[in-house]
Amino acid sequence: MRNTPPLSAGPAPEFSRVVRADAVHRDGELVETIEATEAERKALADRFELEGIGRLTATVRLRSVRGGQMVRVEGELDADVVQTCVVTLEPVPARLSDRFGALFAPESMVPGEEDEIEIDPNVAEEDIPEAMTNGRIDIGELTAQHLSLALDPYPHAEGIEFSGYSEGEEEEEGPDAAGDDAGADPEKPNPFAVLERLKRQN
């Protein structure tokens, strides 16, 4: 399961499916199956800079926990998305599946940003409660945020080799960067050598 990013309190989310906490506490457990509409998928594609989202569904289980004070959310999403190749800019279709979890509590039980709190390193992030707004949990927005986490950060078209970027890697500039081949990957052709061969062929 992936850790839950905080739910934003900005404009209404593109994919909103609200469940009231009191309904979960009353029944003890609820299971919701949600699916994004065409308009919602288009709006989410714009938000996450995707070429398109063909399908987005999720099955979400909500349980009343800790004596009916909090709600545990566990979900599983499935989506068909089209990203953009970072090398060729071609469309890259992908099928995504991801599991996620979160814990929600009334606002009065969640420390504010101005409060100093000690974080127990043995406690998983998904066990740190998030505040419910007026006793409501938006499982649609929660699903959308975990869809963004499940996306390939470096999508590449089939047949295109790409190993991603190393952390802290910076692009070298200047004449020395192009002329120093001492540390080049032997499996990757030297672009200057390729250009020279093309000139000879012409």
Side-chain angles (χ1 to χ4, degrees):
M1 290 186 182
R2 297 175 183 268
N3 293 329
T4 305
L7 293 176
S8 63
E14 299 85 351
F15 179 36
S16 181
R17 299 291 187 275
V18 174
V19 176
R20 296 197 61 86
D22 55 6
V24 180
H25 295 318
R26 182 185 63 243
D27 297 335
E29 177 177 308
L30 290 177
V31 177
E32 299 282 345
T33 299
I34 59 177
E35 182 172 3
T37 65
E38 181 178 356
E40 290 168 336
R41 296 196 306 271
K42 183 179 184 304
L44 286 174
D46 291 340
R47 171 179 169 183
F48 299 136
E49 299 181 347
L50 302 174
E51 296 202 20
I53 300 177
R55 182 181 60 90
L56 173 58
T57 64
T59 299
V60 183
R61 180 188 181 200
L62 304 98
R63 292 183 293 120
S64 179
V65 297
R66 303 192 182 181
Q69 293 180 307
M70 300 185 186
V71 175
R72 169 77 65 187
V73 178
E74 296 173 340
E76 184 169 0
L77 68 85
D78 287 289
D80 294 321
V81 304
V82 181
Q83 296 183 258
T84 303
C85 177
V86 296
V87 179
T88 66
L89 302 183
E90 296 178 43
V92 181
R95 174 77 180 272
L96 302 179
S97 295
D98 194 29
R99 300 175 67 88
F100 56 90
L103 183 65
F104 288 89
E107 294 175 314
S108 60
M109 299 181 64
V110 179
E113 295 182 358
E114 67 283 358
D115 298 328
E116 293 185 5
I117 57 174
E118 295 183 1
I119 299 178
D120 186 343
N122 297 318
V123 176
E125 285 192 35
E126 63 187 39
D127 287 325
I128 300 174
E130 298 184 43
M132 292 183 281
T133 303
N134 298 323
R136 298 154 63 91
I137 301 170
D138 194 337
I139 60 175
E141 170 63 6
L142 188 65
T143 298
Q145 292 190 0
H146 282 279
L147 170 66
S148 73
L149 294 176
L151 294 170
D152 185 347
Y154 305 116
H156 52 279
E158 186 176 355
I160 300 296
E161 294 185 4
F162 183 72
S163 58
Y165 299 106
S166 299
E167 185 175 351
E169 179 180 349
E170 296 181 359
E171 182 178 355
E172 295 184 358
E173 297 181 356
D176 293 339
D180 185 5
D181 293 331
D185 188 340
E187 297 182 359
K188 295 181 180 179
N190 185 316
F192 297 98
V194 173
L195 287 174
E196 185 63 29
R197 285 200 301 271
L198 289 174
K199 289 180 182 178
R200 292 174 182 173
Q201 292 175 1
N202 295 331

